[in-house]
Amino acid sequence: MIDTDAQMAYGIFWAAYAIAFVVFFYMMKSLIRFLPLYGLRTLILAALVALLLTPVESPEVAGWWIPAWLFGGYEMILGEADAAGRALFNLGLAGLVMLLVWVLDLVRYRLVRR
C-alpha cells in the first residue's frame, strides 16, 4: 500500500508534467509555424503528443501510470526487454491512434477549405 505522501508526490508529478507539456506544445507550435504545409505542421504536433503523453502502467504499483518514453528508456538501459517492449507497444498504439486523428484532421481541413 502506498502512503499519502507518495500519492501526493504522484499527483504533483502529473500536474507538473501536464503543465510542462502544454508550455512545450505551444512553444513547438510557434516554432514550426513557418513550415508551409499544414499537414507537416500537424503531423509533427501529433507525433509530439503521442510520444510525450502515452502512459504505461507501473509493474511495481498497480494503478500508477508512467510516461512510456521515460519508462521504456529506463528499462531499456537496465536491459529489461519485456518491460521496454510493453512501453514501446503502448507508444506504437498511441502513434496509430494519432495517425488516424491526423488523417481525419486533414480531411476536415480539406473540406473546410473548399
Side-chain angles (χ1 to χ4, degrees):
M1 187 72 187
I2 301 299
D3 62 345
T4 308
D5 290 339
Q7 198 69 21
M8 180 65 96
Y10 176 74
I12 290 171
F13 163 77
W14 275 110
Y17 190 81
I19 291 168
F21 175 78
V22 168
V23 169
F24 183 68
F25 183 82
Y26 281 109
M27 286 174 59
M28 288 298 292
K29 192 173 180 178
S30 65
L31 183 66
I32 64 171
R33 71 171 182 238
F34 70 89
L35 294 174
L37 299 173
Y38 174 79
L40 182 62
R41 289 191 309 259
T42 55
L43 179 63
I44 292 171
L45 293 176
L48 185 71
V49 167
L51 180 67
L52 295 179
L53 292 185
T54 302
V56 64
E57 189 170 13
S58 170
E60 304 296 323
V61 180
W64 277 35
W65 293 85
I66 306 165
W69 66 269
L70 183 63
F71 179 77
Y74 182 72
E75 293 298 328
M76 205 175 298
I77 289 171
L78 291 178
E80 298 291 331
D82 293 339
R86 220 180 57 206
L88 289 175
F89 175 76
N90 282 11
L91 283 170
L93 194 61
L96 287 175
V97 169
M98 284 308 296
L99 186 65
L100 176 65
V101 169
W102 177 69
V103 168
L104 291 174
D105 181 55
L106 288 180
V107 170
R108 180 208 53 89
Y109 181 75
R110 177 83 176 205
L111 291 175
V112 169
R113 290 214 45 198
R114 283 189 178 186

